[in-house]
Amino acid sequence: MKVLMVCLGNICRSPMAQGILEKKTIENGLAVTVDSAATSDYHVGDNPDPRSISKAAEHGIDISSQQGRQVQNSDFQKFDRIFVMDTSNYSNTVSLTNNVQEINKVELILNLISPGSNQSVPDPYYGGEDGFENMYRLLDTACNIIIEQIKNEQS
Ligand code: 4NP
């Protein structure tokens, strides 16, 4: 199973989602590849935002060596599931797909928690610390659901 997490900058939300899911896959002994990417090219090559790095570290997760990259065409073949953080990421990511099979890999991550509600993980970039804690909690809950789904598939 290969999972890609996508947001606008690949420095706040998707690196956190990657770090959380990687930790949970290791804890659960699951063979899962996790990566993250951006819809924009704003932060290609950059490490995650220091506020995301420290929020992850509070929870025992080291995301400090991740580096930003942009979603590329080959991602739609390489990954089985592509989780996007918000509705704008959804349209930008889907616009890069080539067929229905690829479109069907793209999901809003919060639809795992509230199916069909099409909610977004609020972008914490321009806000305060609260936004980072809120983001962590939402992504932690969503990643627990991903883990349960993978366990069910692999059993
Ligand atoms: P992210 O947050 O999409 O969660 O990584 C953002 C990071 C940077 C920018 C916007 C959102 N930016 O405009 O540079």
Side-chain angles (χ1 to χ4, degrees):
M1 168 65 68
K2 294 187 172 66
V3 177
L4 183 67
M5 303 293 191
V6 173
C7 64
L8 174 61
N10 194 205
I11 56 166
C12 294
R13 291 167 293 177
S14 60
M16 178 70 86
Q18 177 183 341
I20 293 171
L21 190 61
E22 280 174 342
K23 179 162 186 266
K24 290 182 191 297
T25 58
I26 291 164
E27 286 169 351
N28 285 275
L30 297 170
V32 181
T33 300
V34 193
D35 195 7
S36 63
T39 56
S40 76
D41 62 1
Y42 304 156
H43 294 280
V44 171
D46 292 355
N47 295 123
D49 186 289
R51 297 166 295 176
S52 265
I53 292 176
S54 60
K55 180 56 67 181
E58 270 178 38
H59 297 279
I61 301 167
D62 182 5
I63 62 169
S64 62
S65 54
Q66 290 188 32
Q67 287 188 319
R69 72 167 181 92
Q70 205 169 6
V71 174
Q72 54 196 40
N73 209 262
S74 57
D75 289 329
F76 297 102
Q77 284 95 55
K78 179 172 176 194
F79 291 92
D80 304 297
R81 301 183 77 176
I82 299 173
F83 291 104
V84 297
M85 301 295 131
D86 65 34
T87 51
S88 153
N89 306 154
Y90 184 84
S91 12
N92 290 330
T93 302
V94 163
S95 73
L96 300 170
T97 58
N98 293 301
N99 55 53
V100 174
Q101 196 196 6
E102 292 181 6
I103 292 174
N104 287 340
K105 293 183 177 184
V106 185
E107 305 170 60
L108 272 165
I109 195 164
L110 292 188
N111 276 351
L112 292 165
I113 303 175
S114 312
S117 66
N118 297 340
Q119 289 174 43
S120 295
V121 179
D123 187 344
Y125 185 65
Y126 294 106
E129 280 301 315
D130 287 6
F132 284 82
E133 179 61 25
N134 182 48
M135 166 188 78
Y136 172 80
R137 289 185 187 177
L138 289 171
L139 294 176
D140 186 60
T141 304
C143 287
N144 283 336
I145 297 169
I146 297 172
I147 292 291
E148 288 312 310
Q149 291 181 349
I150 294 172
K151 277 187 186 169
N152 288 338
E153 275 170 27
Q154 295 188 352
S155 65

